[in-house]
Every structure is written in C-alpha cells, then in structure tokens.
Amino acid sequence: ATGAENNGGELVSTPAEVIPALVSPISSPMASKKLTKKLYNLVSEAAKAKALRRGIKEVVLALRKGDKGICVLAGDVFPVDVVAHLPLICEEAGVPYCFVPRKSELGLAALTKRPTSVILVSSKTTDKEVTEDLEKCRTELATIQTVY
C-alpha cells in the first residue's frame, strides 16, 4: 500500500520514492531513476502500439521463439524463484534486460490494472517512436549491463 494514515484516520497518499521498495537480492542490473522513467515511457508507448509481451509465460515463450527487444523485470517479485530464470534466458537469447523497483508501477506503465512481473518490449513494431525509444534505452542498458 502506498499510503499512510494522518491524525483523522483517513488515508493520505505518499510519493512512491518515500516508501522503500522490497527489492530482491538478485535484482541486478537495477535501473537508475532516470532510466526507470525512460523504460516506463517506452513500455507505455509500446503498450499503445501493441508491441508488448506481459507476464512470465508470454515472455519466456516469445524469447524461445526468437523475439528481440528489451526485457524489463520487476525487482519486488516474491518469491524470487518465479523470475530467477529469466535473466539467464535473456542472456542466452541476446536480449538486454534490466530490473525496475516495483511491479505495480510496471503494470501501470503497461496500461493494465494488475501488477506485472516482467515485460518484453518487442522490436518487431512499425511504430517509429517506439523503435527510436527502444534503441535509446538499448544503448543506455548496454552501459549498465553486467557481463559474466
């Protein structure tokens, strides 16, 4: 919950930055605040252009079929075992990935009411704005991507 009670007992909303996210220890590489905002904008544009894969099952299926793009994972997924295999699948497929702090904000960026644990922004889109933002985010991800 992103709210706190004041003296009157009513709920008052607080900014998301104030409440610390329960980020899992495997959430690496974690996006900076600036990159997180860019990724959320990219995800919302891709959702409008229908260039998204939402959820673990869809993303794994798309990666195994050879889809390319950017994989955005939520860092506060519990239990961690649910998404622990996705970075490995992304590395094998050659798809850059990054963690963002909250699954609820990732779901909102994807224009859904449900929290989303993982999203794949597909590069197979005809929307020029999405492809431009995808390339910008991909180059920025290349700088923080951990090489094993």
Side-chain angles (χ1 to χ4, degrees), residues 35-53:
L35 180 59
T36 300
K37 191 171 183 178
K38 285 182 182 179
L39 287 170
Y40 288 155
N41 288 337
L42 171 67
V43 167
S44 64
E45 289 173 9
K48 291 174 189 169
K50 306 277 192 240
L52 275 189
R53 298 286 182 194

Side-chain angles (χ1 to χ4, degrees), residues 26-84:
I26 68 159
S27 301
S28 177
M30 180 64 75
S32 64
K33 286 184 181 180
K34 185 178 176 183
L35 180 59
T36 300
K37 191 171 183 178
K38 285 182 182 179
L39 287 170
Y40 288 155
N41 288 337
L42 171 67
V43 167
S44 64
E45 289 173 9
K48 291 174 189 169
K50 306 277 192 240
L52 275 189
R53 298 286 182 194
R54 296 180 185 95
I56 297 166
K57 192 174 181 179
E58 268 190 61
V59 169
V60 168
L61 185 68
L63 288 171
R64 289 199 176 141
K65 283 187 176 181
D67 275 5
K68 299 291 183 188
I70 292 178
C71 189
V72 183
L73 298 110
D76 63 344
V77 176
F78 183 80
V80 181
D81 303 342
V82 175
V83 294

Side-chain angles (χ1 to χ4, degrees), residues 21-143:
L22 300 172
V23 179
S24 68
I26 68 159
S27 301
S28 177
M30 180 64 75
S32 64
K33 286 184 181 180
K34 185 178 176 183
L35 180 59
T36 300
K37 191 171 183 178
K38 285 182 182 179
L39 287 170
Y40 288 155
N41 288 337
L42 171 67
V43 167
S44 64
E45 289 173 9
K48 291 174 189 169
K50 306 277 192 240
L52 275 189
R53 298 286 182 194
R54 296 180 185 95
I56 297 166
K57 192 174 181 179
E58 268 190 61
V59 169
V60 168
L61 185 68
L63 288 171
R64 289 199 176 141
K65 283 187 176 181
D67 275 5
K68 299 291 183 188
I70 292 178
C71 189
V72 183
L73 298 110
D76 63 344
V77 176
F78 183 80
V80 181
D81 303 342
V82 175
V83 294
H85 65 288
L86 286 170
L88 182 64
I89 293 174
C90 289
E91 287 174 10
E92 287 176 352
V95 174
Y97 66 93
C98 186
F99 285 88
V100 293
R102 300 178 188 275
K103 62 183 175 183
S104 57
E105 292 175 358
L106 188 58
L108 284 175
L111 306 178
T112 61
K113 294 179 182 178
R114 298 280 304 159
T116 305
S117 56
V118 61
I119 285 180
L120 178 71
V121 180
S122 179
S123 58
K124 294 179 183 177
T125 180
T126 56
D127 193 344
K128 291 187 183 219
E129 193 172 326
V130 173
T131 53
E132 288 173 5
D133 288 347
L134 186 71
E135 288 305 314
K136 286 179 187 175
C137 288
R138 184 176 287 162
T139 56
E140 201 164 333
L141 274 177
T143 62

